[in-house]
Amino acid sequence: MLFNSIAFLIFLSIIFILYWCVFNKNYKFQNMLLLAASFYFYGCWDWRFLFLLMFSIGLDYFSGIQIENSKTKKRATFWLVLSIAINLGFLGFFKYYNFFIENFAELLKTFGFGVNIWLLKVILPVGISFYTFHGLSYVIDVYKKRIPAERNYVDYAVFVSYFPLLVAGPIERATHLLPQIQRNRSFNYEKAKDGMAQILWGFFKKMVIADNCAPIVNEIFNNYHTESASNLVLGAILFAFQIYGDFSGYSDIALGTSRLFGIELLKNFSYPYFSRDIAEFWRRWHISLSSWFRDYLYIPLGGSKGGLWMKIRNTFIIFLVSGFWHGANWTFIIWGGLNAVFFLPLLIAEKNRHNLEVVAMGKIIPSFREVFSILMTFVLTCFAWIFFRAASVSDAMGYIKGIFSATLISFPTAFRPVLFGLIIFMLGMEWMNRTHDYGLKIQERKPAFQAVIYILVAYLILNFANFGSNEFIYFQF
């Protein structure tokens, strides 16, 4: 069931009415409804993988209790390691088995050994990377005594499987979400209105921006060897906006949907294409994943406490693992490695913690230096996105090679003025609201102004949206 579908709107309306009109007397009844809705939502993708989700929930629920009940550190460690091993085992089996087998066979071939390999022919369970990380953070936090083990199965199951975030995040923390699940919630009109506005903005970014960029991007990347250099540059730029509109659009819909039920989710995007360096970009892009790796991998490795070489090592580990998390392909690993390389000069010069404030704070027009920094960061990001989008490393290299030709100065035939105008509108809205949580957060403006903007965005969706069955890119991760 896609967010951008009539089926989801009907589903959401039914659950919303039941939640506030039938089950509103007690949060425990609301949680039972949310759990049933979440299992149904996930089962709509493939009911067989619902059992895998339930097993993952049961494993970490039981492991958390066993860790807390352990009388010795050794026994607590045993249950932690067991939970991590099983969780990563399932993730590795479904997501990475073929990758490792194929690369192992290629390695043996270089030494003259030919082997017959057995590859899996199964689809990747949707959302497995996300709900696995939910469970891992929970058992680690229980082990570190940051939170007590949850004894209420329904509450814990809602934390892991809550349908707005189940298939593509944000990656939540038990310390943030569980307390909200375990308290009474009353309907708040202003929050519901805010949630609807964020959902509307998410639909605009997904259906108008991302889904209109997608056909052009697909055509250019699939036929890069016959495209002009200017079209290849345009393709990389449009993919940058496609993946941003697609993923941040999903996050906006997820956060807005959750707000309808009185639950706040972690912010996942903060206008990353207004970043002035790569370090700032990664503080603003997929924030829940970046902070997860920071807290559960980077800091345990020593973080920034050691010498320069340790900092460099830890930085490369984080970015390479982040790349590999996205998919079982060398293209994602290289994408992560490139971002590490781009990050390296800032780390060595100790400038990776600069630009913490909002760009051009208190100003409408940024300075020339800010504009230059934003554009340079965007260029580096687009270059790395080529590897992320390409089907293989050789395709990415061929794509990049094609950019450096005489046709670079030609006008791109794939340019679409209307799409360009829509992208400018999105960027303008987000620039004007960059100090707020999302680009359509205009509740502080006069009601008449709000009405005009909401009607305009709705009009643009109805007239320019691609209403085909277009899945979100991050569902494949």
Side-chain angles (χ1 to χ4, degrees):
M1 187 188 301
L2 295 171
F3 277 178
N4 53 325
S5 67
I6 298 298
F8 176 74
L9 295 179
I10 295 172
F11 165 81
L12 178 60
S13 300
I14 293 172
I15 301 304
F16 179 81
I17 292 171
L18 291 174
Y19 186 86
W20 289 119
C21 298
V22 179
F23 295 87
N24 60 322
K25 301 299 182 183
N26 191 301
Y27 76 88
K28 293 182 179 180
F29 295 134
Q30 290 178 322
N31 290 348
M32 291 179 187
L33 174 66
L34 289 178
L35 181 59
S38 298
F39 282 169
Y40 173 78
F41 178 80
Y42 193 79
C44 288
W45 297 98
D46 193 320
W47 64 268
R48 295 169 297 179
F49 289 130
L50 183 58
F51 296 103
L52 181 62
L53 172 63
M54 291 178 174
F55 175 82
S56 178
I57 292 171
L59 168 69
D60 295 326
Y61 171 77
F62 181 75
S63 298
I65 294 174
Q66 293 302 312
I67 290 170
E68 187 172 73
N69 289 344
S70 296
K71 302 297 183 182
T72 64
K73 186 77 169 180
K74 183 177 180 180
R75 184 167 180 80
T77 302
F78 166 79
W79 284 106
L80 173 67
V81 172
L82 180 66
S83 176
I84 292 175
I86 295 175
N87 274 300
L88 293 183
F90 276 114
L91 182 62
F93 178 76
F94 283 103
K95 191 169 183 177
Y96 301 109
Y97 172 85
N98 288 353
F99 174 82
F100 283 116
I101 289 296
E102 288 175 336
N103 280 276
F104 181 67
E106 288 297 321
L107 179 63
L108 290 179
K109 284 183 181 179
T110 61
F111 293 99
F113 297 100
V115 293
N116 294 320
I117 59 175
W118 177 66
L119 299 177
L120 292 177
K121 294 183 179 180
V122 296
I123 60 174
L124 179 68
V126 66
I128 188 172
S129 296
F130 292 91
Y131 69 71
T132 296
F133 273 35
H134 286 152
L136 289 178
S137 66
Y138 167 76
V139 293
I140 293 172
D141 285 348
V142 172
Y143 179 80
K144 295 288 187 180
K145 301 186 185 303
R146 295 168 183 156
I147 56 171
E150 180 52 53
R151 305 284 169 159
N152 187 305
Y153 175 81
V154 172
D155 291 353
Y156 177 75
V158 172
F159 156 68
V160 176
S161 65
Y162 186 38
F163 74 88
L165 58 75
L166 178 56
V167 295
I171 301 172
E172 270 290 347
R173 308 291 183 87
T175 51
H176 178 256
L177 186 54
L178 269 175
Q180 297 185 74
I181 294 172
Q182 296 173 321
R183 67 181 180 222
N184 288 317
R185 301 178 286 275
S186 57
F187 181 75
N188 184 301
Y189 172 77
E190 290 301 324
K191 285 188 176 181
K193 178 184 173 184
D194 188 41
M196 291 294 291
Q198 191 162 8
I199 291 172
L200 183 66
W201 190 239
F203 280 141
F204 174 80
K205 289 200 285 187
K206 164 59 180 171
M207 300 173 70
V208 176
I209 302 301
D211 290 349
N212 280 308
C213 286
I216 303 172
V217 170
N218 293 341
E219 177 69 21
I220 292 173
F221 271 84
N222 292 340
N223 302 282
Y224 68 88
H225 49 282
T226 61
E227 296 283 355
S228 66
S230 56
N231 269 354
L232 295 180
V233 172
L234 179 64
I237 293 172
L238 289 182
F239 179 68
F241 288 112
Q242 180 196 352
I243 194 169
Y244 173 66
D246 190 282
F247 193 21
S248 71
Y250 174 93
S251 294
D252 281 332
I253 298 170
L255 269 68
T257 298
S258 184
R259 195 169 296 122
L260 293 178
F261 298 102
I263 297 174
E264 293 291 334
L265 299 180
L266 292 171
K267 187 176 181 179
N268 216 18
F269 286 87
S270 184
Y271 315 111
Y273 291 150
F274 298 151
S275 301
R276 289 150 291 182
D277 58 52
I278 288 295
E280 184 182 10
F281 175 84
W282 280 105
R283 288 192 294 271
R284 296 178 176 275
W285 179 275
H286 203 174
I287 300 168
S288 64
L289 179 67
S290 300
S291 61
W292 198 99
F293 280 126
R294 179 198 65 204
D295 294 342
Y296 297 104
L297 186 58
Y298 183 73
I299 292 176
L301 287 171
S304 301
K305 293 182 179 179
L308 179 60
W309 287 113
M310 180 180 287
K311 294 178 183 178
I312 293 173
R313 181 204 67 181
N314 294 344
T315 297
F316 269 92
I317 289 174
I318 288 297
F319 278 107
L320 292 175
V321 171
S322 177
F324 199 43
W325 177 89
H326 282 84
N329 194 320
W330 284 105
T331 55
F332 296 114
I333 297 174
I334 292 174
W335 169 75
L338 279 173
N339 277 282
V341 171
F342 298 156
F343 187 91
L344 200 57
L346 298 171
L347 180 66
I348 294 174
E350 298 184 345
K351 293 183 178 180
N352 54 302
R353 297 297 297 172
H354 287 199
N355 297 323
L356 299 177
E357 74 291 347
V358 174
V359 61
M361 188 65 179
K363 299 184 293 184
I364 296 178
I365 306 298
S367 67
F368 175 81
R369 181 176 181 179
E370 288 170 329
V371 171
F372 179 79
S373 298
I374 291 171
L375 289 177
M376 289 303 299
T377 303
F378 184 71
V379 168
L380 293 176
T381 303
C382 286
F383 180 81
W385 282 137
I386 293 173
F387 284 91
F388 191 98
R389 173 59 180 79
S392 66
V393 175
S394 61
D395 284 340
M397 297 303 294
Y399 193 103
I400 294 169
K401 182 180 179 181
I403 292 176
F404 297 97
S405 71
T407 56
L408 182 60
I409 59 174
S410 63
F411 187 81
T413 57
F415 179 78
R416 301 291 182 271
V418 173
L419 179 56
F420 176 76
L422 292 168
I423 292 173
I424 292 299
F425 173 76
M426 178 191 72
L427 292 176
M429 287 295 297
E430 297 208 326
W431 177 262
M432 297 305 295
N433 291 286
R434 65 192 182 281
T435 58
H436 299 297
D437 289 337
Y438 60 95
L440 200 58
K441 192 172 179 63
I442 54 175
Q443 286 76 23
E444 297 176 357
R445 303 293 185 92
K446 293 181 178 180
F449 178 83
Q450 293 181 45
V452 169
I453 296 300
Y454 292 149
I455 292 172
L456 174 60
V457 173
Y459 171 82
L460 292 175
I461 293 173
L462 292 173
N463 283 272
F464 296 103
N466 185 335
F467 286 101
S469 181
N470 298 301
E471 289 193 354
F472 291 82
I473 294 174
Y474 265 66
F475 282 8
Q476 65 185 294
F477 306 139

